[in-house]
Amino acid sequence: MRATRTSRERTGYRRSRLTTFLLVGASALLSVAGPVHAVPVKASLPADIPDYQAALDVVKSTGVRNAVCRFLSVPVPQGGPPGLQTVPDKADPCEGMPAFTLKDPLAVNEITPGFVAGTSQPVATEAVRLSHLVSSLSTTVNNRQATVMLAPTQGGGWHLAAVRDGDSDATYAGKAALGTLVFTEPQIRGWYQLKLLTVEPLNDQARQGLDGQSSVSLSDYQKLVKARYADKLPGSAYDTSGLSSGYGTPGRTQGASPSAPLLVGGSSAALVLAGAFVFHRRRRNTTA
């Protein structure tokens, strides 16, 4: 019963975002037509994220803070063969660390499998969906930035899923403004902004994803991603043959212990905390 309610809450989030999106679009069109009675428009508030207070509680928790400190205490992997690296064994993982706080979580939207397959309409509510939340450090720590990723927990709420070097995800997610949606094409790490039905790139990967164009319609963007990934969705021959992990679909997972998150360092290695050791492994490229 709880899972059903949570599903409805997430659907409500998408509808709330679309309502704001449409209200702003209508206001823009009316302003062009001439002076009319003002249409009140509500900005997209953090409350649009389901269980937002739970997300705030997680990023402010001691467990997440300790996980960030453990992450920052391990040097960024510089390539080389997989191996084990000892994590400093301290009763207080943050001992000796400069003071830091985590910013309020931001929504990360991703393109949906239905949009990629071409079975969904090229409209905001069907093109993108909430994938996870990100929260970056309020300041650099020992000349490093880090971002905490929160994943939805089965039955409601959020849990720590990863800590990553850098703050690019949070930076791009924070570019969402009144009347716009920001979303990512995770296969190429492309970030885009959707204005009404126009898709604009926010980084170099996205510009390459649009074949160098400064903007395309949402319908044309759907054609581009369909050509790139439609034959690589879960269950496809490409996926089941082991050539790729296919198109990743975010799924609900049980709450994970903050002391054992997946830790991602840099762009080519992943760190999995296991007791007093960090295991380095190459990430498999999930794109064609």
Side-chain angles (χ1 to χ4, degrees):
M1 187 70 178
R2 170 61 180 166
T4 300
R5 187 177 68 178
T6 303
S7 176
R8 289 173 179 168
E9 289 174 350
R10 297 192 189 286
T11 300
Y13 161 79
R14 292 167 61 189
R15 288 176 178 168
S16 175
R17 292 295 299 239
L18 180 63
T19 299
T20 300
F21 200 64
L22 293 177
L23 283 173
V24 173
S27 297
L29 292 174
L30 287 171
S31 65
V32 172
V36 293
H37 294 294
V39 178
V41 178
K42 178 182 75 67
S44 178
L45 300 175
D48 289 337
I49 297 173
D51 301 317
Y52 189 71
Q53 185 57 53
L56 283 173
D57 292 342
V58 172
V59 298
K60 296 179 185 302
S61 69
T62 300
V64 166
R65 183 178 180 82
N66 288 344
V68 172
C69 289
R70 291 189 186 96
F71 176 79
L72 294 174
S73 68
V74 179
V76 178
Q78 299 299 319
L84 292 175
Q85 183 170 337
T86 302
V87 175
D89 185 15
K90 297 187 295 185
D92 179 6
C94 297
E95 180 183 355
M97 286 274 183
F100 68 87
T101 58
L102 285 162
K103 297 179 182 178
D104 290 349
L106 298 170
V108 174
N109 297 296
E110 294 184 358
I111 51 177
T112 66
F115 180 73
V116 171
T119 57
S120 297
Q121 295 297 312
V123 294
T125 51
E126 297 189 32
V128 300
R129 68 180 177 188
L130 178 64
S131 169
H132 57 276
L133 307 181
V134 290
S135 174
S136 59
L137 300 183
S138 59
T139 184
T140 57
V141 175
N142 296 336
N143 297 317
R144 288 175 66 183
Q145 250 293 354
T147 296
V148 166
M149 178 191 295
L150 303 183
T153 301
Q154 185 175 8
W158 300 87
H159 65 269
L160 176 64
V163 181
R164 291 179 173 174
D165 262 309
D167 61 352
S168 60
D169 284 6
T171 297
Y172 287 121
K175 291 184 180 296
L178 191 64
T180 69
L181 288 174
V182 169
F183 67 93
T184 180
E185 182 183 332
Q187 296 80 4
I188 62 172
R189 291 193 64 78
W191 286 86
Y192 305 85
Q193 189 171 55
L194 178 61
K195 297 179 179 178
L196 293 181
L197 294 177
T198 300
V199 177
E200 299 178 356
L202 292 177
N203 63 358
D204 289 340
Q205 294 92 324
R207 279 183 278 276
Q208 293 173 8
L210 298 185
D211 295 334
Q213 301 176 82
S214 60
S215 66
V216 300
S217 69
L218 185 58
S219 179
D220 285 343
Y221 175 68
Q222 183 177 34
K223 295 174 183 176
L224 290 171
V225 294
K226 182 178 179 181
R228 282 199 282 270
Y229 312 119
D231 61 345
K232 301 174 181 66
L233 290 165
S236 66
Y238 189 85
D239 177 27
T240 57
S241 65
L243 292 173
S244 168
S245 58
Y247 178 93
T249 55
R252 296 175 184 276
T253 57
Q254 297 291 341
S257 167
S259 64
L262 170 66
L263 301 178
V264 181
S267 60
S268 62
L271 306 172
V272 179
L273 193 64
F277 297 96
V278 172
F279 173 65
H280 297 231
R281 64 179 173 84
R282 296 280 184 183
R283 286 196 297 172
R284 182 172 58 178
N285 188 351
T286 60
T287 61

